[in-house]
Amino acid sequence: MVNNMTNSGSNLKKLQILILDDEPIVCKRLKPAFLKAGYEVETFTDSANAMARTLDKNFDIVITDLKMEGMSGMEFLTEVKKQSPRTEIIVITGFATLEASKESFQKGVFNFVAKPFKLTDILEMVKQLKNERFKNVI
Amino acid sequence: MKLTAGLHAEYLSFWRKKKPAVLFSTLFKKFRSILERNIRIMELMADIGDKLSGEYIFDRQYIYTITEELNNLLRQHISDLGDLEQHKNTELFNSFERIHNRIREEISGKYAVSEIPFTRFPEELLTAPNHTLDELGNENIIMGEIQNILKLPVPDGFFITTSVFSDFMKYNGLVPHVREYFDRLEKGEEKPADKVFKDLRAMILNGEFPKPIVWDISAATENINRKAGHDLVSYAIRGCASIKEKGSAFKPQCKTFLNVPQRETLNVYKEILADLLCSPELKHYPEKDFAVSASFFSMIDSGISGFIRTLDPEYPEKETITVGATFGLGGGLKDAIGNLDHYIVSRDPPHHVLSMEVTRKDRMLTLRREGGTIWMNIPHYTCRAPSLKPSRIKYLAETAIMIERYFKRPLEIMWCFDRKENLFILRTNLLSIRNSNSNVILPVEAAIRNAKVLFSGKGTVVQGGIATGKVYVVRNDEDLERFPTGSILVSSQTSPRFSRVIRKAKGILTGIGSPTGHLAAMAREFRVPTILNCGTAAKELKTGDEITIDAACNVVYCGAVMELQRYGLMQEDLFEESEEYLLLRRLLKHISALNLIDPYSRNFTPAGCRTYHDIMRYIHEKAVQKVIDLSKTYKHRRHVPVRRLETDIPLGIFIAEIAEEIKPGVGSRIREEEVNSVPMRALLQGLHESGMWSTKPLSVDMGSFMSSLTKTFSYSLSGPNHTGMNLALISEEYMNLNLRLGYHYTIIDAFIGDRSEDNRISFRFFGGVTDFSRRSMRVKFIGTILERFDFRVESHGDLIIGRIKKAAKSRMIGKMKLIGGLIGYTRQLDVQIGSQNSLSSRVEDFINIIERTMEVDGEQHDK
């Protein structure tokens, strides 16, 4: 399923992105946009499943909601950072409070985005991350 | 707040002598909250519109949050009006509750009136609430949209909803029998399936319809007879079975019964049910998840029939359309294999025929007088003739691509030409394309990487989607008349006139334009990928240039990126089909639509409010009237809180002072030099010193004027002008001015004091006579000026908002002078501006003049 080769046969890996949001519409809209932009994307609407997946695979970027049933986004991102400190995290939330933002940044997230947001903005954010932090991926 | 703190106890004992006295300042506070809240409500309504563009990622939480905020604002609004008018607005509150309940029903999906009617006419689908998909099935909904939105010819007819199916089953006690037969199949009875179902089939065919169903269907057929002008209408009846299970691979096949006389319609419907229910595959689905609807279309006596596939399902990369056609009725297509002409046509306009295969057609299916169909031999001198002329092939291809563009999916469309050569769309199905998902990603990604970006992130997306085609630059009406179907409309500005060609356009790009204006609404309605406000980037494009618009990502590529277009057609989940999008659209009908237009009309009442916008409009009108009434009440009193401003410029402003102390003995007028409000004085200085106010009358061309009058009435025209009064609430540091000058409506809310932290100016400007493009130019003009002077600028349609805060007093005074100049200058600006060039020169002229005016106490302005 995962394609690690470009058409030209280069060994450069694609940027690996995990998206977690319990509202399916967010995953349904973000996934094709990131795929089209050339990234490898996996989406989850359940934090437990997403957590299980991160145990198997290290993602370059995790985009996560905060308020979810079961394991919250904050707990999830804390765990992800613990397992893989190099993973960059972008929080997307409809409950963008100052406290949540402060806590997220303290835990080392790259950015904190209030929903609704522009599709182009998050694509741009990921592009910026890729250029700054993941130069060995395509 | 400082301006209201410590007010003296000034009682309005003379206002309503027998009622408890009310603090005058309290009433003004209510009035001010209404004005402030109006602005917030307008912002929220514009925000919901923005979210439909496809440019934003939003979720249900957004919908809950924004509707909840609107509910609260409206509740407070009604309460404040009650306080201001000193009586309870029970009727208005009832209207609010009615609308609120409908919004709640839409959000929860649980409708108070949940009974599904037995029949629906396609035109009803525009207004019916959201259970239409469940009650009609996807195939029938598509036909409704083709007729209602795309305005393409569909035979007259009606739909039978799923409630006919469920009531028929219950009335005849069939539900347990169906389960029993499925159980027998499940247990692996040795009998073949058709034997097992024999009895069930007989039960269905012998079933009877409840009387109300018979009456409803009879009324619907009478309606169709009336339209046809005779009672000999016969029908093409087709069942539409739906299984609720998401992603169910099983698609029950329904056959179409042709030329069914009215007396036979219910029997045919029973045959459809019998065919569907006696299907072994159904055993996997619980009865509750299975439903049947049907379409009853009046029979067209077609001369030619066929199908058209908008993309080759096996080889989508070939970018071709396939047309199959034969003489006679479409029902003959299945049996006409081998007798069918085939045409391969280019997807690109003008849709050249790439290849054709004309076969010998010996017979054709025709209508039988007593009902049903009959095969007729085709005379030998015509049987080898092609069934379609090139002009008809082109027309079919254009129509099919228009339908595909709307549904954003490759389609198979059944069509026919009647004996008078009129085209009818008979049925439309989504086409399954090979490799529709994973395999398209890799080529699209490479294609995007290699494609040359013309511009990116330049404009405002008002409708997402992908469009590939040739640019056609529209400069005037003549260009518009010649607009070629399938082109991409490019223009320096938007115009309501573009709606004439919107069905022909593959995409739209404009230099300037309002994201909530008429064109944006049309683009969303027809789902035409559209980016407005691309600035000079759009100017670089020339007629004939081939480009690709990716409106979702706000990028325009050079050349045709076909991989991207195919990718767009093969997406699994469409935003426009998402529950959230559909819900937001339905909510807007209860929120933003404006029905209360004329305050002097009979329905301008609390009970006449059908949307939140109506309620807001009503409250604003009543609140302004109340304040004016108050001013009259006080006219001959010793204390006159509302006074006319005496000034050389005919502004018609009345001043209401919210002072800490209402001074005794003041007259009914106030001179400019007596105005003690810092923001108000600065504003007046800006008007005077800039010399921007021109009293010279300017001619308005009648066409523009009429276009303004006939456009959908917006809130922007609902100002205090109806009562001829511009009102300013002022204190030493504060000003709230509602100003109507000509057809512009300005609201300024400003606080300028010694502490920078407290200072703020909010400037809102909307309305204006003349055509839409000039109004857009005006928005651009004001936006450019405000941005040049550090305001944060937002625009929503005709509304432009500029905000600045936390600057030093002297700088804020300079900004107020700027606004004074702007008010004078823009009074008739949109009448004066003709083109983009004159706009730029006017911006420079204005800045040159205002720079001198803005100097305060020797300080330079901070441009």
Side-chain angles (χ1 to χ4, degrees):
Chain A
M1 185 182 85
V2 179
N3 184 357
N4 292 335
M5 303 281 282
T6 64
N7 286 342
S8 57
S10 153
N11 281 324
L12 285 173
K13 265 181 71 183
K14 281 186 177 183
L15 195 79
Q16 307 290 312
I17 302 175
L18 180 145
I19 300 169
L20 168 62
D21 197 305
D22 59 351
E23 293 232 30
I25 180 79
V26 176
C27 296
K28 278 181 186 173
R29 295 200 59 212
L30 286 179
K31 186 175 181 176
F34 280 117
L35 283 176
K36 198 173 77 179
Y39 305 119
E40 202 70 61
V41 187
E42 291 184 38
T43 58
F44 296 86
T45 51
D46 176 84
S47 46
N49 290 341
M51 195 68 246
R53 183 63 179 139
T54 58
L55 296 174
D56 294 339
K57 175 178 171 179
N58 281 340
F59 289 87
D60 299 313
I61 295 176
V62 163
I63 298 172
T64 180
D65 189 11
L66 283 186
K67 201 173 173 183
M68 287 174 288
E69 277 193 19
M71 181 186 242
S72 74
M74 199 62 82
E75 290 166 324
F76 174 72
L77 70 88
T78 311
E79 278 304 308
V80 169
K81 269 288 182 192
K82 209 186 284 174
Q83 285 166 30
S84 167
R86 63 174 282 281
T87 299
E88 291 291 357
I89 291 166
I90 297 171
V91 168
I92 48 172
T93 178
F95 301 91
T97 62
L98 193 62
E99 291 72 31
S101 141
K102 230 184 219 172
E103 192 182 348
S104 302
F105 283 116
Q106 276 165 0
K107 290 184 188 294
V109 306
F110 173 75
N111 216 333
F112 184 91
V113 183
K115 280 193 273 188
F117 53 84
K118 278 189 180 179
L119 185 56
T120 44
D121 287 349
I122 200 150
L123 284 168
E124 198 51 45
M125 211 176 284
V126 169
K127 194 172 163 189
Q128 185 198 337
L129 254 177
K130 193 186 108 180
N131 293 340
E132 287 174 8
R133 301 267 295 102
F134 302 101
K135 287 179 182 158
N136 60 337
V137 295
I138 54 163
Chain B
M1 196 170 179
K2 191 181 170 185
L3 63 97
T4 56
L7 281 174
H8 283 201
E10 175 65 25
Y11 290 97
L12 300 179
S13 52
F14 44 81
W15 178 44
R16 287 259 169 100
K17 284 178 183 168
K18 296 191 177 168
K19 289 201 171 185
V22 177
L23 269 176
F24 185 71
S25 58
T26 307
L27 293 174
F28 271 123
K29 260 173 85 178
K30 294 293 170 192
F31 179 64
R32 207 184 122 202
S33 346
I34 287 172
L35 294 178
E36 282 173 355
R37 209 175 294 114
N38 274 349
I39 291 159
R40 181 65 189 149
I41 294 170
M42 278 163 61
E43 283 172 354
L44 291 179
M45 290 194 300
D47 195 79
I48 296 177
D50 281 350
K51 299 299 168 286
L52 288 176
S53 67
E55 202 185 11
Y56 289 85
I57 301 291
F58 68 93
D59 53 20
R60 278 202 165 240
Q61 189 55 47
Y62 164 75
I63 300 175
Y64 302 149
T65 309
I66 203 157
T67 46
E68 199 47 44
E69 187 176 350
L70 276 166
N71 294 338
N72 291 336
L73 289 169
L74 265 294
R75 251 190 226 108
Q76 288 164 23
H77 232 36
I78 295 169
S79 161
D80 277 0
L81 182 68
D83 291 347
L84 187 63
E85 291 189 323
Q86 300 271 290
H87 66 79
K88 282 182 187 170
N89 288 298
T90 315
E91 231 186 318
L92 193 58
F93 194 76
N94 287 343
S95 286
F96 165 76
E97 275 300 307
R98 200 180 57 241
I99 302 161
H100 181 209
N101 281 338
R102 293 192 68 181
I103 289 174
R104 216 162 35 193
E105 283 177 1
E106 294 282 14
I107 290 176
S108 66
K110 290 174 187 157
Y111 298 88
V113 182
S114 59
E115 262 182 30
I116 299 176
F118 294 126
T119 58
R120 281 257 198 229
F121 286 88
E123 49 272 30
E124 287 178 67
L125 302 189
L126 278 176
T127 50
N130 181 42
H131 30 273
T132 48
L133 183 62
D134 283 346
E135 70 188 39
L136 291 181
N138 202 33
E139 193 176 306
N140 292 331
I141 293 286
I142 288 176
M143 287 302 282
E145 289 186 4
I146 288 174
Q147 179 177 325
N148 293 328
I149 294 171
L150 298 178
K151 311 282 182 213
L152 289 169
V154 167
D156 277 338
F158 59 93
F159 303 118
I160 292 210
T161 68
T162 49
S163 66
V164 172
F165 166 71
S166 53
D167 282 21
F168 174 81
M169 296 295 282
K170 277 182 218 153
Y171 191 72
N172 292 287
L174 289 167
V175 178
H177 289 291
V178 173
R179 177 45 50 203
E180 181 197 330
Y181 282 92
F182 288 149
D183 287 347
R184 281 168 60 186
L185 271 186
E186 193 90 341
K187 284 173 195 154
E189 280 200 7
E190 285 174 8
K191 277 188 194 171
D194 56 339
K195 293 251 192 269
V196 173
F197 283 121
K198 197 178 164 196
D199 294 343
L200 177 62
R201 188 177 180 87
M203 267 189 263
I204 294 169
L205 294 180
N206 291 328
E208 287 187 6
F209 287 91
K211 286 273 185 309
I213 292 181
V214 178
W215 294 332
D216 264 26
I217 293 177
S218 171
T221 53
E222 273 170 29
N223 193 323
I224 299 295
N225 287 345
R226 268 197 301 280
K227 277 191 201 167
H230 59 83
D231 57 3
L232 295 172
V233 177
S234 62
Y235 291 90
I237 301 179
R238 183 177 168 80
C240 176
S242 46
I243 287 183
K244 275 188 188 168
E245 188 183 272
K246 181 97 179 153
S248 159
F250 173 53
K251 302 269 183 272
Q253 289 302 305
C254 296
K255 109 177 163 193
T256 309
F257 289 78
L258 298 180
N259 200 25
V260 179
Q262 266 170 46
R263 61 178 185 280
E264 287 299 320
T265 50
L266 290 177
N267 288 335
V268 164
Y269 178 76
K270 285 193 280 188
E271 278 200 48
I272 288 172
L273 289 191
D275 284 353
L276 282 167
L277 289 172
C278 297
S279 160
E281 288 91 341
L282 272 187
K283 69 181 177 188
H284 303 299
Y285 303 96
E287 305 84 35
K288 66 178 172 55
D289 288 346
F290 180 75
V292 181
S293 56
S295 58
F296 281 44
F297 285 121
S298 55
M299 195 65 216
I300 303 290
D301 184 10
S302 46
I304 308 158
S305 308
F307 66 82
I308 181 163
R309 293 185 189 125
T310 59
L311 202 61
D312 186 327
E314 284 298 310
Y315 303 101
E317 63 282 1
K318 283 187 179 171
E319 292 288 327
T320 54
I321 292 169
T322 313
V323 182
T326 191
F327 294 121
L329 301 177
L333 288 177
K334 249 188 197 167
D335 302 318
I337 293 169
N339 287 331
L340 209 58
D341 295 340
H342 276 95
Y343 304 86
I344 306 296
V345 184
S346 165
R347 276 176 57 87
D348 290 331
H351 305 293
H352 290 299
V353 176
L354 303 173
S355 71
M356 60 192 269
E357 195 185 315
V358 177
T359 59
R360 182 191 165 97
K361 297 168 283 293
D362 291 316
R363 54 185 202 147
M364 63 178 181
L365 198 67
T366 57
L367 300 179
R368 204 167 57 170
R369 187 183 289 269
E370 59 274 34
T373 56
I374 186 167
W375 286 98
M376 300 276 283
N377 288 333
I378 297 173
H380 69 279
Y381 50 86
T382 53
C383 67
R384 287 184 187 278
S387 48
L388 286 172
K389 291 184 280 192
S391 60
R392 283 189 180 175
I393 297 172
K394 185 182 172 207
Y395 181 39
L396 271 172
E398 283 176 358
T399 309
I401 292 291
M402 184 200 296
I403 302 174
E404 181 199 81
R405 193 193 63 215
Y406 178 79
F407 290 103
K408 295 187 174 178
R409 293 268 197 260
L411 301 170
E412 180 180 64
I413 299 161
M414 312 308 288
W415 52 267
C416 75
F417 285 100
D418 69 5
R419 303 280 173 178
K420 291 177 185 164
E421 304 202 0
N422 298 311
L423 174 69
F424 287 92
I425 304 299
L426 303 175
R427 184 154 50 91
T428 299
N429 298 323
L430 305 180
L431 199 59
S432 297
I433 301 288
R434 186 175 58 89
N435 298 335
S436 62
N437 287 319
S438 53
N439 288 359
V440 295
I441 298 295
L442 207 59
V444 79
E445 179 199 323
I448 292 173
R449 229 186 359 251
N450 297 329
K452 182 185 167 196
V453 174
L454 283 176
F455 49 94
S456 169
K458 288 277 182 188
T460 312
V461 174
V462 299
Q463 170 62 41
I466 291 156
T468 301
K470 286 191 175 155
V471 165
Y472 185 83
V473 178
V474 174
R475 291 188 186 84
N476 48 43
D477 276 357
E478 283 169 12
D479 291 339
L480 208 56
E481 290 304 321
R482 290 195 291 261
F483 186 84
T485 301
S487 300
I488 291 177
L489 193 161
V490 175
S491 177
S492 58
Q493 52 204 307
T494 56
S495 162
R497 289 170 301 142
F498 293 170
S499 56
R500 293 207 299 251
V501 298
I502 202 144
R503 294 190 323 153
K504 292 181 178 180
K506 261 187 159 179
I508 300 172
L509 296 174
T510 72
I512 56 173
S514 157
T516 48
H518 181 68
L519 183 71
M522 295 292 283
R524 280 186 199 130
E525 181 82 358
F526 288 92
R527 299 182 183 171
V528 181
T530 299
I531 309 179
L532 306 181
N533 292 320
C534 301
T536 50
K539 240 180 163 183
E540 307 295 317
L541 297 169
K542 291 176 187 61
T543 294
D545 289 352
E546 195 153 54
I547 60 166
T548 300
I549 303 174
D550 182 350
C553 292
N554 201 351
V555 187
V556 176
Y557 297 97
C558 180
V561 189
M562 299 316 292
E563 296 85 347
L564 191 56
Q565 177 162 293
R566 276 199 297 281
Y567 172 81
L569 281 175
M570 290 172 196
Q571 281 197 51
E572 250 181 89
D573 298 298
L574 282 186
F575 172 52
E576 289 82 357
E577 287 174 6
S578 69
E579 285 175 23
E580 288 78 4
Y581 174 89
L582 296 171
L583 175 61
L584 213 50
R585 268 191 79 137
R586 288 197 305 277
L587 289 178
L588 272 181
K589 285 186 191 166
H590 305 300
I591 292 170
S592 296
L594 182 63
N595 306 294
L596 295 195
I597 295 169
D598 178 10
Y600 302 106
S601 75
R602 269 188 184 178
N603 77 334
F604 202 90
T605 60
C609 294
R610 281 150 50 197
T611 64
Y612 280 178
H613 199 166
D614 288 339
I615 292 181
M616 184 185 87
R617 173 84 177 84
Y618 178 84
I619 289 176
H620 180 85
E621 190 67 31
K622 293 295 162 193
V624 171
Q625 267 176 20
K626 189 71 216 173
V627 173
I628 289 157
D629 288 349
L630 280 175
S631 76
K632 285 176 188 164
T633 313
Y634 281 82
K635 208 170 175 181
H636 304 293
R637 306 280 166 185
R638 199 164 62 89
H639 299 159
V640 185
V642 179
R643 292 184 284 167
R644 180 183 265 280
L645 176 69
E646 283 185 353
T647 169
D648 298 340
I649 297 172
L651 293 168
I653 293 179
F654 284 77
I655 303 262
E657 281 179 285
I658 307 177
E660 294 202 13
E661 185 180 344
I662 294 177
K663 292 168 192 162
V666 292
S668 62
R669 289 170 180 268
I670 179 168
R671 292 195 307 277
E672 254 190 83
E673 55 271 27
E674 288 178 290
V675 173
N676 199 22
S677 161
V678 174
M680 185 82 206
R681 283 184 75 90
L683 183 92
L684 292 169
Q685 276 172 6
L687 259 167
H688 284 297
E689 292 168 14
S690 65
M692 299 285 190
W693 184 273
S694 163
T695 50
K696 193 173 72 180
L698 289 161
S699 63
V700 180
D701 69 280
M702 196 42 83
S704 297
F705 188 77
M706 288 312 288
S707 116
S708 168
L709 290 183
T710 52
K711 89 180 182 72
T712 310
F713 198 91
S714 72
Y715 175 73
S716 59
L717 294 180
S718 62
N721 69 313
H722 295 296
T723 47
M725 185 187 228
N726 293 316
L727 193 68
L729 293 172
I730 61 166
S731 74
E732 196 177 328
E733 294 162 319
Y734 175 78
M735 178 192 75
N736 182 294
L737 172 64
N738 275 252
L739 185 64
R740 161 79 67 179
L741 290 171
Y743 290 87
H744 300 157
Y745 185 24
T746 307
I747 301 173
I748 305 155
D749 195 86
F751 188 98
I752 304 177
D754 293 330
R755 267 167 48 97
S756 300
E757 289 297 299
D758 297 335
N759 291 344
R760 60 185 161 81
I761 299 172
S762 161
F763 171 72
R764 291 168 170 82
F765 186 101
F766 33 66
V769 78
T770 79
D771 65 37
F772 190 82
S773 57
R774 289 188 189 197
R775 291 203 307 275
S776 298
M777 296 275 263
R778 183 200 59 214
V779 165
K780 196 86 178 168
F781 172 85
I782 297 171
T784 310
I785 299 285
L786 291 175
E787 269 172 3
R788 290 275 280 272
F789 290 95
D790 299 333
F791 280 77
R792 273 181 59 200
V793 179
E794 285 171 52
S795 63
H796 301 284
D798 292 354
L799 164 68
I800 186 152
I801 304 165
R803 290 191 187 99
I804 190 162
K805 57 185 180 181
K806 295 184 181 178
K809 185 177 182 179
S810 58
R811 287 179 66 190
M812 293 300 268
I813 289 172
K815 307 295 180 199
M816 281 307 294
K817 286 184 173 183
L818 163 78
I819 289 174
L822 260 182
I823 288 172
Y825 197 79
T826 52
R827 188 170 60 103
Q828 296 183 32
L829 177 72
D830 44 5
V831 184
Q832 293 169 328
I833 293 178
S835 65
Q836 184 76 35
N837 285 344
S838 71
L839 174 81
S840 313
S841 67
R842 280 180 186 279
V843 166
E844 293 314 315
D845 287 350
F846 180 87
I847 289 173
N848 286 337
I849 299 168
I850 206 70
E851 274 177 350
R852 294 191 295 272
T853 311
M854 288 177 67
E855 287 169 16
V856 180
D857 300 335
E859 281 189 27
Q860 288 287 311
H861 71 85
D862 46 347
K863 187 175 66 170

